[in-house]
Amino acid sequence: MVGIVLVSHSERLAHGLRDMLVQVAGEEVPIEAAGGTDDGGLGTSYDRILVAIDRADRGGGVLVLTDLGSAVLTAQTVLEDRVANTAVLVDAPFVEGAVAAAVLAGAGADLAECTRAATEARDVRKL
């Protein structure tokens, strides 16, 4: 099964989105929140992202979504340093992309399908 990692500057934002995804995709989808710094402040943490990816990796690959620019940089660094190349950083809207990917992951879609759904969420109009 595809895992999902939510990288945010805010621990509360990452956990709130995780809670929402669990409700729409189910508990069986491995969804991990990696928000905030190690001391509980706003920012991102290399170690939190690394641990979240390892926890979410159940063999089907891991989709990593980020909220803002420096979260992208930190996630990219983690992915470059990891020996196992099972995770992909996706250029997608944080909430909409995560929802699309989680629903498909819950339905058994592979990493490529989940990635495509997350990136296509960028084009979905709200109004």
Side-chain angles (χ1 to χ4, degrees):
M1 178 169 284
V2 173
I4 297 172
V5 171
L6 307 168
V7 180
S8 173
H9 285 73
S10 167
E11 184 173 17
R12 291 175 67 186
L13 178 59
H15 283 280
L17 180 54
R18 183 196 179 280
D19 291 345
M20 183 175 147
L21 298 181
V22 167
Q23 288 183 38
V24 298
E27 289 281 346
E28 58 279 348
V29 179
I31 303 168
E32 295 291 330
T37 61
D38 294 332
D39 63 0
L42 290 177
T44 55
S45 164
Y46 180 102
D47 291 332
R48 285 183 178 204
I49 297 168
L50 181 62
V51 168
I53 292 170
D54 289 342
R55 285 184 181 157
D57 193 352
R58 307 278 171 84
V62 178
L63 193 100
V64 180
L65 294 120
T66 59
D67 65 354
L68 299 170
S70 64
V72 173
L73 297 174
T74 308
Q76 284 176 329
T77 302
V78 170
L79 294 179
E80 289 168 2
D81 291 349
R82 280 185 88 233
V83 174
N85 192 16
T86 58
V88 59
L89 180 60
V90 181
D91 183 12
F94 192 55
V95 175
E96 293 89 339
V99 170
V103 168
L104 282 183
D110 66 16
L111 184 60
E113 292 170 305
C114 292
T115 300
R116 190 169 28 262
T119 57
E120 288 174 357
R122 178 186 311 112
D123 300 325
V124 176
R125 296 183 52 100
K126 294 181 183 180
L127 298 175

